Amino acid sequence: MTPIEPLQLTRKDFVSDQTVRWCPGCGDYAILSQIQKTMPQLGVPKENIVFISGIGCSSRFPYYMDTYGIHSIHGRAPTLATGLKIANPELSVWVITGDGDGLSIGGNHLVHACRRNIDINIILFNNRIYGLTKGQYSPTSPQGFRSKTSPMGTLEQPLNPVSVALASEATFIARTIDVIPKHMGGIFLKADQHKGISFVEVMQNCVIFNPGTWHEYSDRKTRDDHDLYLEDGKPMIFGKNKDKGVIWRRNGLEVVTLGDQYTENDLLVHDVSSIEIAWLLSRLQYPMPLGVILDITKPTYDLGLWHQVEVAKDQKGEGDLETLFNNADTWIVE
Amino acid sequence: MKEEHHAVVKEVDSVVIRFAGDSGDGMQLTGTQFTNTAAIIGNDISTFPDYPAEIRAPAGTIAGVSGFQVHLSDSDIWTPGDSPDVLIAMNPAALKASLPDMEPGATIIVNSDAFTQANLDKAGCETNPLAAGDKTLRDYRVIQAPISSLNRTAVQDIEGLSPKDRDRSRNFFALGLVYWMYDRPIDNTVEWAKKKFAKYPAVVEANIRALQAGYNFGNTTEAFQTRYRIKRAKLPPGTYRKINGNEAVAMGLVTVAKKAGKPLFYGSYPITPASDILHALSPLRNFDVLTFQAEDEIAAMGSTIGAAFGGALAVTGTSGPGIALKSEAMNLALMLELPIVIIDVQRGGPSTGLPTKVEQADLLQVMYGRNGESPMPVLAPSTPAECFDFTLEAFRFALRTMSPVILLTDGYLANSAEPWRIPDPEDIPPIIVEHPTEFNGDGRFLPYKRDPETMGRPWAIAGTPKLEHRLGGLEKSPEFGNVSYVPDHHQQMVNERAEKVARLADVIPEQTVFGPEEGDLLVVGWGSTYGAIHAAVRQAHNKGYSVAHAHIRYLNPFPRNLGDILKRYDRILVPELNMGQLAFILRGTYLLPVIPMDKVKGRPFKISELSEKIEELLAGDAS
């Protein structure tokens, strides 16, 4: 749909009349605010934007956006988003999910939405805890994590959301963090610009049940020495003094200090089109890679399906009921 | 084909033929070909394919028997027949599996080559029923035909045919023989084989030769003294085709979309016996049919909700186990109030149950199997052809109520075929779909402001300027649709969702009755049992019993006059392929004593079973 007049929307146009009911200090506020700020930059008429969520704290999100939205059921948001995008490929469809919603109860749907490369954006808020149900460990909680349901420590290995997306053949994968609004905003915009599935993990803090879970990556004092801001075509440098970097050695990634032994030229250069680099980055915890990890182009499901409609019409002509009804052995009774 | 008839041709009213063999023997194909030919000639037909869940169960065993029964007649017929007049048994297992259904005097044609000790053992036969002096088949007219060896001889010199391919055509030998017995031409099947195997001339040749050899065998064997001929049936004028329930549903869906001028979205996960709907729709992209093979049943349901929010005509199809998985998402559709049609092709349950067999045991599941107060309209067509009409009806209901609507068919309706008088698309009224584009409240859009007559809400779809709104599974305030836990709001919304379904009774046709308007006994059925009940009630009626038949197609809500009808009979018999589910609902709704008649054997009712029950109830009442 071509807008009749240039879009002059602002953040306010995307604020709904509903009171936001997250806990004070919740990381979700910052994410909501950034998404509301990002929306006017999409260049999409407001009526063509849809937010779909499942169940969980993060999933209240659509109520706070003055766009079309569905607060659906636990884990199933990608399925609704898929049906909606097929029905109308012009829509900008956003799935808001969490670590429990997206990787536990809805893990199957996340995997299949990714592999179909349907052109929707999945934003996964990862706070490594079940918040709405009041503090049980989640599929991303670290092994040994103590919670109401794991008083002696969880026995399970955590899932790595980026690795899951990568193994599921996602074509755009990024990670960002709730405490760096500008970074978040930039990632959301790139996610929408990507044609095909966009998967974004947002490291998010639950102030009540898992405060400080990403502390070393989010605290102003420590984060510069723990976060790696990825840029396509640039060497992987990080640290408050830009004195550390990531190199490839002995079948893996290693952190080195720049100086006499290593210079920028020795560092691994990020390439968003490399699935191999994306895989290495997905396994890296120190430093934590933030930014676009993978961005490749493949045919999308939604346009592919409508293309088949066009091809079928070209080959067989517009469907005709009389022909369809009579497409069998027929006989006449007089 | 040149031939000299030595056999007499006798005219008969109707015949029931069953083709039975291993599931790899091509019995479904054989039966289908015979049916097509009969239908084209103008007989009324009714078929019953009965096949195992395993694609190839161990060859030669009872578990692997695949059967196809067809009933041909020169007048209206209601069922595929209680018991075959003619059985074609390709091996001992097929014979053994079918014998319990056979009446004395019936004709049995066996492939005598297959009656080896090994096959007899696999079928669990203690004796060889073909052995001299064996009494197993003494009540039947048995024709032993060495089908395998005769067929091998007929096709042996075809070049490029493997020994396996040679034997594969033996089902066509049997088909040729039956064509001869019933005085049918083989041409139609010959043409089919030429098209089907166009790339494999050797296979075409083998099939044609097998057919001819079978036909000639009938002609030259002394065993066959009589041939039979069934006249054309007197059906209402028109152009006809053969149709089964799944085909009818698929065509109904395409028709709805075409008549509404909208794309059809069909999100489904493969499941027996519903998959054929997905198969039928997938090649119809040129009708704007968007089929989506979901990753699971839940995703299939979820995708239809999204598609409906985007303005497509959204449908999912499944069977009982799929409904169980979809239930939470069905409830979401109910809360969001979006028009969606959910097709449940019932099969034997519980759990995986009997995937390929018929049962009507999902009624209570679709009526009451969800959390909370969750009324959904439920429709149940009673014949394959009716599946077409009720698919349209289901959509009309979904659009009127803005609610998910359940269309209950079953494995028997899905796979059985009957003649269908092809409608003129021009005669089918358009389906009107309205999407609001303007505010309906004071300077704003109220997504849950209801139509005062239908109680449906406006179907505003994503992409409509100014009408941005949020829907969700949480309870909401009336009209505004904002999340609300206010006690009175919940009560009101529950009431409204029930009321709009109840008001469908305003447009549901009155229940009709076959037979006297009042009397000793009313037989009440629903779904695929129609034919058998109708035939049994007719028989009893003709014998002078005061008995009538009411077949309910609208299960929720019921037709308004149903209660009055039920009260006009002394007794109510409710035959069902479950353990009394409709009976339970009728008792609860109308506080009437009803007599359930239950059957859960994975097979339809026989007319005789119903007749016996009716006569038992009315013993001594005949006037």
Short mmCIF file of all heavy atoms in Angstrom, two decimals, chain A residues 163-215:
data_model
loop_
_atom_site.label_atom_id
_atom_site.label_comp_id
_atom_site.label_asym_id
_atom_site.label_seq_id
_atom_site.Cartn_x
_atom_site.Cartn_y
_atom_site.Cartn_z
N SER A 163 22.15 -19.63 18.81
CA SER A 163 22.50 -20.92 18.20
C SER A 163 21.26 -21.63 17.68
O SER A 163 21.28 -22.26 16.61
CB SER A 163 23.21 -21.82 19.21
OG SER A 163 24.45 -21.28 19.59
N VAL A 164 20.17 -21.54 18.44
CA VAL A 164 18.93 -22.19 18.00
C VAL A 164 18.46 -21.56 16.69
O VAL A 164 18.11 -22.27 15.74
CB VAL A 164 17.83 -22.06 19.08
CG1 VAL A 164 16.48 -22.50 18.53
CG2 VAL A 164 18.19 -22.87 20.32
N ALA A 165 18.48 -20.24 16.62
CA ALA A 165 18.03 -19.55 15.41
C ALA A 165 18.91 -19.93 14.22
O ALA A 165 18.42 -20.15 13.11
CB ALA A 165 18.04 -18.04 15.63
N LEU A 166 20.19 -20.01 14.48
CA LEU A 166 21.13 -20.34 13.42
C LEU A 166 20.90 -21.77 12.91
O LEU A 166 20.83 -22.02 11.70
CB LEU A 166 22.54 -20.19 13.97
CG LEU A 166 23.69 -20.07 12.99
CD1 LEU A 166 23.44 -18.98 11.97
CD2 LEU A 166 24.97 -19.76 13.77
N ALA A 167 20.74 -22.70 13.85
CA ALA A 167 20.49 -24.09 13.47
C ALA A 167 19.14 -24.22 12.78
O ALA A 167 18.92 -25.17 12.03
CB ALA A 167 20.53 -24.99 14.70
N SER A 168 18.26 -23.27 13.03
CA SER A 168 16.92 -23.31 12.40
C SER A 168 16.90 -22.59 11.07
O SER A 168 15.83 -22.34 10.52
CB SER A 168 15.89 -22.70 13.34
OG SER A 168 15.96 -23.28 14.61
N GLU A 169 18.07 -22.21 10.56
CA GLU A 169 18.19 -21.61 9.23
C GLU A 169 17.64 -20.20 9.15
O GLU A 169 17.22 -19.75 8.07
CB GLU A 169 17.52 -22.49 8.16
CG GLU A 169 17.96 -23.95 8.14
CD GLU A 169 19.40 -24.14 7.70
OE1 GLU A 169 19.94 -23.23 7.04
OE2 GLU A 169 20.00 -25.18 8.03
N ALA A 170 17.65 -19.47 10.27
CA ALA A 170 17.23 -18.06 10.22
C ALA A 170 18.20 -17.30 9.32
O ALA A 170 19.38 -17.63 9.23
CB ALA A 170 17.22 -17.46 11.62
N THR A 171 17.68 -16.25 8.66
CA THR A 171 18.52 -15.50 7.72
C THR A 171 18.98 -14.16 8.28
O THR A 171 19.84 -13.51 7.69
CB THR A 171 17.77 -15.28 6.39
OG1 THR A 171 16.50 -14.68 6.69
CG2 THR A 171 17.57 -16.59 5.66
N PHE A 172 18.37 -13.73 9.38
CA PHE A 172 18.86 -12.52 10.06
C PHE A 172 18.84 -12.81 11.55
O PHE A 172 17.79 -13.16 12.11
CB PHE A 172 17.96 -11.32 9.76
CG PHE A 172 18.38 -10.04 10.48
CD1 PHE A 172 19.16 -9.09 9.84
CD2 PHE A 172 17.99 -9.80 11.81
CE1 PHE A 172 19.54 -7.92 10.51
CE2 PHE A 172 18.37 -8.65 12.47
CZ PHE A 172 19.16 -7.70 11.82
N ILE A 173 20.01 -12.70 12.18
CA ILE A 173 20.10 -12.98 13.61
C ILE A 173 20.90 -11.85 14.26
O ILE A 173 21.98 -11.48 13.78
CB ILE A 173 20.81 -14.33 13.87
CG1 ILE A 173 20.04 -15.47 13.17
CG2 ILE A 173 20.92 -14.61 15.36
CD1 ILE A 173 20.77 -16.79 13.18
N ALA A 174 20.34 -11.31 15.34
CA ALA A 174 21.05 -10.23 16.03
C ALA A 174 20.82 -10.37 17.53
O ALA A 174 19.91 -11.07 17.99
CB ALA A 174 20.54 -8.88 15.56
N ARG A 175 21.70 -9.70 18.29
CA ARG A 175 21.53 -9.68 19.74
C ARG A 175 21.73 -8.25 20.22
O ARG A 175 22.58 -7.52 19.70
CB ARG A 175 22.54 -10.61 20.41
CG ARG A 175 22.34 -10.71 21.93
CD ARG A 175 23.48 -11.43 22.60
NE ARG A 175 23.41 -12.88 22.45
CZ ARG A 175 24.43 -13.62 22.03
NH1 ARG A 175 25.57 -13.07 21.67
NH2 ARG A 175 24.29 -14.93 21.96
N THR A 176 20.91 -7.85 21.19
CA THR A 176 21.07 -6.53 21.76
C THR A 176 20.72 -6.61 23.25
O THR A 176 20.45 -7.70 23.76
CB THR A 176 20.21 -5.48 21.01
OG1 THR A 176 20.47 -4.19 21.53
CG2 THR A 176 18.74 -5.79 21.10
N ILE A 177 20.77 -5.48 23.94
CA ILE A 177 20.59 -5.51 25.39
C ILE A 177 19.75 -4.32 25.83
O ILE A 177 19.85 -3.23 25.26
CB ILE A 177 21.97 -5.58 26.10
CG1 ILE A 177 21.82 -5.84 27.60
CG2 ILE A 177 22.80 -4.32 25.84
CD1 ILE A 177 23.10 -6.34 28.27
N ASP A 178 18.90 -4.56 26.85
CA ASP A 178 17.90 -3.56 27.23
C ASP A 178 18.48 -2.25 27.75
O ASP A 178 17.80 -1.23 27.74
CB ASP A 178 16.91 -4.15 28.25
CG ASP A 178 17.58 -4.66 29.52
OD1 ASP A 178 18.83 -4.56 29.61
OD2 ASP A 178 16.87 -5.16 30.42
N VAL A 179 19.74 -2.26 28.22
CA VAL A 179 20.27 -1.04 28.83
C VAL A 179 20.95 -0.10 27.83
O VAL A 179 21.43 0.96 28.20
CB VAL A 179 21.27 -1.36 29.97
CG1 VAL A 179 20.55 -2.05 31.13
CG2 VAL A 179 22.42 -2.22 29.45
N ILE A 180 21.03 -0.50 26.58
CA ILE A 180 21.66 0.38 25.59
C ILE A 180 20.63 0.72 24.51
O ILE A 180 20.59 0.10 23.44
CB ILE A 180 22.92 -0.28 24.97
CG1 ILE A 180 23.80 -0.86 26.08
CG2 ILE A 180 23.71 0.75 24.15
CD1 ILE A 180 25.04 -1.59 25.59
N PRO A 181 19.78 1.70 24.81
CA PRO A 181 18.62 1.98 23.94
C PRO A 181 19.00 2.20 22.49
O PRO A 181 18.34 1.65 21.60
CB PRO A 181 18.03 3.25 24.54
CG PRO A 181 18.51 3.27 25.96
CD PRO A 181 19.84 2.59 25.97
N LYS A 182 20.03 2.97 22.23
CA LYS A 182 20.35 3.28 20.84
C LYS A 182 20.72 2.03 20.05
O LYS A 182 20.35 1.87 18.89
CB LYS A 182 21.52 4.27 20.78
CG LYS A 182 21.06 5.70 20.79
CD LYS A 182 22.16 6.61 20.31
CE LYS A 182 21.65 8.04 20.28
NZ LYS A 182 22.74 9.01 20.22
N HIS A 183 21.46 1.17 20.72
CA HIS A 183 21.84 -0.08 20.07
C HIS A 183 20.59 -0.90 19.73
O HIS A 183 20.44 -1.39 18.61
CB HIS A 183 22.77 -0.89 20.99
CG HIS A 183 23.40 -2.06 20.30
ND1 HIS A 183 22.87 -3.32 20.33
CD2 HIS A 183 24.52 -2.14 19.52
CE1 HIS A 183 23.63 -4.14 19.62
NE2 HIS A 183 24.65 -3.45 19.12
N MET A 184 19.69 -0.97 20.70
CA MET A 184 18.43 -1.70 20.47
C MET A 184 17.70 -1.14 19.26
O MET A 184 17.27 -1.88 18.37
CB MET A 184 17.52 -1.56 21.69
CG MET A 184 17.64 -2.66 22.70
SD MET A 184 16.23 -2.61 23.84
CE MET A 184 16.50 -1.13 24.72
N GLY A 185 17.53 0.19 19.26
CA GLY A 185 16.77 0.84 18.19
C GLY A 185 17.35 0.53 16.82
O GLY A 185 16.62 0.19 15.88
N GLY A 186 18.67 0.60 16.72
CA GLY A 186 19.33 0.32 15.44
C GLY A 186 19.08 -1.11 14.98
O GLY A 186 18.84 -1.38 13.79
N ILE A 187 19.13 -2.03 15.94
CA ILE A 187 18.91 -3.44 15.59
C ILE A 187 17.47 -3.68 15.13
O ILE A 187 17.22 -4.40 14.16
CB ILE A 187 19.25 -4.34 16.80
CG1 ILE A 187 20.75 -4.27 17.13
CG2 ILE A 187 18.81 -5.78 16.57
CD1 ILE A 187 21.65 -4.80 16.05
N PHE A 188 16.51 -3.07 15.82
CA PHE A 188 15.10 -3.28 15.45
C PHE A 188 14.85 -2.79 14.03
O PHE A 188 14.15 -3.41 13.25
CB PHE A 188 14.16 -2.56 16.43
CG PHE A 188 14.23 -3.11 17.84
CD1 PHE A 188 13.99 -2.29 18.94
CD2 PHE A 188 14.54 -4.45 18.07
CE1 PHE A 188 14.05 -2.80 20.23
CE2 PHE A 188 14.60 -4.96 19.36
CZ PHE A 188 14.36 -4.13 20.44
N LEU A 189 15.47 -1.64 13.71
CA LEU A 189 15.28 -1.09 12.38
C LEU A 189 15.88 -2.03 11.32
O LEU A 189 15.25 -2.32 10.29
CB LEU A 189 15.95 0.29 12.30
CG LEU A 189 15.64 1.12 11.06
CD1 LEU A 189 14.15 1.35 10.90
CD2 LEU A 189 16.38 2.47 11.12
N LYS A 190 17.09 -2.53 11.60
CA LYS A 190 17.71 -3.46 10.64
C LYS A 190 16.90 -4.74 10.51
O LYS A 190 16.79 -5.33 9.43
CB LYS A 190 19.14 -3.79 11.08
CG LYS A 190 20.12 -2.67 10.78
CD LYS A 190 21.52 -3.05 11.19
CE LYS A 190 22.48 -1.89 10.93
NZ LYS A 190 23.72 -2.00 11.68
N ALA A 191 16.34 -5.17 11.62
CA ALA A 191 15.53 -6.40 11.59
C ALA A 191 14.35 -6.21 10.65
O ALA A 191 14.02 -7.09 9.86
CB ALA A 191 15.04 -6.74 13.00
N ASP A 192 13.73 -5.04 10.71
CA ASP A 192 12.56 -4.83 9.86
C ASP A 192 12.97 -4.68 8.40
O ASP A 192 12.24 -5.10 7.50
CB ASP A 192 11.79 -3.58 10.30
CG ASP A 192 10.45 -3.51 9.58
OD1 ASP A 192 9.62 -4.41 9.83
OD2 ASP A 192 10.26 -2.60 8.75
N GLN A 193 14.16 -4.10 8.18
CA GLN A 193 14.60 -3.91 6.79
C GLN A 193 14.94 -5.24 6.11
O GLN A 193 14.87 -5.36 4.90
CB GLN A 193 15.80 -2.96 6.75
CG GLN A 193 15.38 -1.51 6.97
CD GLN A 193 16.55 -0.62 7.38
OE1 GLN A 193 17.64 -1.11 7.66
NE2 GLN A 193 16.31 0.68 7.40
N HIS A 194 15.32 -6.22 6.92
CA HIS A 194 15.68 -7.53 6.35
C HIS A 194 14.44 -8.22 5.80
O HIS A 194 13.41 -8.31 6.46
CB HIS A 194 16.31 -8.40 7.42
CG HIS A 194 16.56 -9.81 6.98
ND1 HIS A 194 17.59 -10.15 6.14
CD2 HIS A 194 15.88 -10.96 7.23
CE1 HIS A 194 17.54 -11.46 5.91
NE2 HIS A 194 16.52 -11.96 6.56
N LYS A 195 14.55 -8.73 4.58
CA LYS A 195 13.44 -9.49 3.98
C LYS A 195 13.63 -10.96 4.32
O LYS A 195 14.61 -11.58 3.92
CB LYS A 195 13.40 -9.30 2.46
CG LYS A 195 13.11 -7.88 2.04
CD LYS A 195 11.72 -7.45 2.48
CE LYS A 195 11.54 -5.94 2.44
NZ LYS A 195 10.69 -5.43 3.54
N GLY A 196 12.69 -11.50 5.05
CA GLY A 196 12.82 -12.86 5.55
C GLY A 196 12.74 -12.83 7.06
O GLY A 196 12.45 -11.80 7.66
N ILE A 197 12.98 -13.98 7.67
CA ILE A 197 12.86 -14.04 9.13
C ILE A 197 13.97 -13.21 9.77
O ILE A 197 15.12 -13.24 9.35
CB ILE A 197 12.93 -15.50 9.61
CG1 ILE A 197 12.56 -15.60 11.10
CG2 ILE A 197 14.31 -16.12 9.39
CD1 ILE A 197 11.09 -15.69 11.34
N SER A 198 13.58 -12.41 10.77
CA SER A 198 14.58 -11.69 11.56
C SER A 198 14.42 -12.12 13.01
O SER A 198 13.34 -12.03 13.57
CB SER A 198 14.36 -10.18 11.46
OG SER A 198 14.45 -9.79 10.11
N PHE A 199 15.52 -12.61 13.58
CA PHE A 199 15.46 -13.06 14.97
C PHE A 199 16.39 -12.18 15.81
O PHE A 199 17.58 -12.07 15.52
CB PHE A 199 15.91 -14.52 15.06
CG PHE A 199 15.95 -15.02 16.49
CD1 PHE A 199 14.80 -15.48 17.11
CD2 PHE A 199 17.14 -15.00 17.21
CE1 PHE A 199 14.83 -15.91 18.43
CE2 PHE A 199 17.18 -15.43 18.53
CZ PHE A 199 16.03 -15.89 19.15
N VAL A 200 15.82 -11.56 16.83
CA VAL A 200 16.62 -10.68 17.69
C VAL A 200 16.49 -11.15 19.14
O VAL A 200 15.38 -11.25 19.68
CB VAL A 200 16.13 -9.22 17.59
CG1 VAL A 200 16.96 -8.32 18.52
CG2 VAL A 200 16.21 -8.71 16.16
N GLU A 201 17.61 -11.47 19.76
CA GLU A 201 17.61 -11.75 21.19
C GLU A 201 17.91 -10.45 21.93
O GLU A 201 18.90 -9.78 21.64
CB GLU A 201 18.70 -12.79 21.54
CG GLU A 201 18.76 -13.06 23.05
CD GLU A 201 20.01 -13.83 23.50
OE1 GLU A 201 20.86 -14.15 22.65
OE2 GLU A 201 20.13 -14.09 24.71
N VAL A 202 17.03 -10.09 22.86
CA VAL A 202 17.29 -8.92 23.70
C VAL A 202 17.60 -9.41 25.10
O VAL A 202 16.75 -10.05 25.75
CB VAL A 202 16.08 -7.96 23.75
CG1 VAL A 202 16.44 -6.71 24.56
CG2 VAL A 202 15.63 -7.57 22.36
N MET A 203 18.82 -9.17 25.55
CA MET A 203 19.17 -9.54 26.92
C MET A 203 18.46 -8.56 27.84
O MET A 203 18.66 -7.35 27.74
CB MET A 203 20.69 -9.45 27.11
CG MET A 203 21.43 -10.45 26.22
SD MET A 203 23.13 -9.96 25.90
CE MET A 203 23.87 -10.16 27.50
N GLN A 204 17.59 -9.09 28.70
CA GLN A 204 16.68 -8.22 29.44
C GLN A 204 16.69 -8.61 30.91
O GLN A 204 16.82 -9.78 31.26
CB GLN A 204 15.28 -8.35 28.80
CG GLN A 204 14.19 -7.55 29.48
CD GLN A 204 13.23 -8.44 30.24
OE1 GLN A 204 13.09 -9.61 29.94
NE2 GLN A 204 12.59 -7.88 31.26
N ASN A 205 16.54 -7.61 31.75
CA ASN A 205 16.66 -7.82 33.19
C ASN A 205 15.29 -7.94 33.84
O ASN A 205 14.40 -7.13 33.59
CB ASN A 205 17.42 -6.64 33.79
CG ASN A 205 17.83 -6.92 35.23
OD1 ASN A 205 18.17 -8.04 35.56
ND2 ASN A 205 17.78 -5.90 36.07
N CYS A 206 15.13 -8.97 34.69
CA CYS A 206 13.93 -9.09 35.51
C CYS A 206 14.31 -8.62 36.91
O CYS A 206 15.06 -9.29 37.61
CB CYS A 206 13.43 -10.53 35.53
SG CYS A 206 12.08 -10.79 36.71
N VAL A 207 13.77 -7.45 37.29
CA VAL A 207 14.21 -6.86 38.56
C VAL A 207 13.73 -7.64 39.77
O VAL A 207 14.29 -7.53 40.86
CB VAL A 207 13.72 -5.40 38.72
CG1 VAL A 207 14.56 -4.46 37.91
CG2 VAL A 207 12.25 -5.27 38.37
N ILE A 208 12.68 -8.41 39.61
CA ILE A 208 12.10 -9.09 40.77
C ILE A 208 12.68 -10.50 40.95
O ILE A 208 13.13 -10.87 42.03
CB ILE A 208 10.56 -9.20 40.63
CG1 ILE A 208 9.95 -7.82 40.38
CG2 ILE A 208 9.94 -9.88 41.84
CD1 ILE A 208 10.13 -6.82 41.51
N PHE A 209 12.67 -11.28 39.90
CA PHE A 209 13.01 -12.70 40.09
C PHE A 209 14.41 -13.08 39.62
O PHE A 209 14.88 -14.17 39.94
CB PHE A 209 11.97 -13.57 39.39
CG PHE A 209 10.61 -13.46 40.00
CD1 PHE A 209 9.59 -12.78 39.37
CD2 PHE A 209 10.37 -13.99 41.27
CE1 PHE A 209 8.34 -12.66 39.96
CE2 PHE A 209 9.12 -13.87 41.86
CZ PHE A 209 8.10 -13.20 41.21
N ASN A 210 15.04 -12.22 38.84
CA ASN A 210 16.39 -12.57 38.39
C ASN A 210 17.24 -11.32 38.18
O ASN A 210 17.84 -11.14 37.13
CB ASN A 210 16.29 -13.37 37.08
CG ASN A 210 17.51 -14.23 36.83
OD1 ASN A 210 18.35 -14.40 37.72
ND2 ASN A 210 17.63 -14.76 35.62
N PRO A 211 17.27 -10.46 39.21
CA PRO A 211 17.95 -9.18 39.00
C PRO A 211 19.43 -9.37 38.73
O PRO A 211 20.07 -10.23 39.31
CB PRO A 211 17.72 -8.44 40.33
CG PRO A 211 17.42 -9.50 41.33
CD PRO A 211 16.76 -10.62 40.58
N GLY A 212 19.93 -8.59 37.81
CA GLY A 212 21.36 -8.61 37.53
C GLY A 212 21.83 -9.85 36.79
O GLY A 212 23.01 -10.17 36.77
N THR A 213 20.90 -10.53 36.11
CA THR A 213 21.31 -11.78 35.44
C THR A 213 22.36 -11.52 34.35
O THR A 213 23.22 -12.35 34.09
CB THR A 213 20.08 -12.52 34.87
OG1 THR A 213 20.54 -13.74 34.27
CG2 THR A 213 19.34 -11.69 33.81
N TRP A 214 22.29 -10.34 33.74
CA TRP A 214 23.28 -10.02 32.70
C TRP A 214 24.26 -8.97 33.20
O TRP A 214 24.86 -8.25 32.40
CB TRP A 214 22.57 -9.47 31.45
CG TRP A 214 21.57 -10.39 30.83
CD1 TRP A 214 20.24 -10.22 30.77
CD2 TRP A 214 21.85 -11.63 30.16
NE1 TRP A 214 19.64 -11.27 30.12
CE2 TRP A 214 20.62 -12.15 29.73
CE3 TRP A 214 23.02 -12.36 29.89
CZ2 TRP A 214 20.50 -13.35 29.04
CZ3 TRP A 214 22.91 -13.57 29.21
CH2 TRP A 214 21.67 -14.05 28.79
N HIS A 215 24.40 -8.92 34.52
CA HIS A 215 25.08 -7.81 35.19
C HIS A 215 26.40 -7.41 34.54
O HIS A 215 26.63 -6.24 34.23
CB HIS A 215 25.19 -8.21 36.67
CG HIS A 215 26.36 -7.68 37.37
ND1 HIS A 215 27.55 -8.36 37.47
CD2 HIS A 215 26.52 -6.49 37.98
CE1 HIS A 215 28.39 -7.61 38.14
NE2 HIS A 215 27.80 -6.48 38.47
#
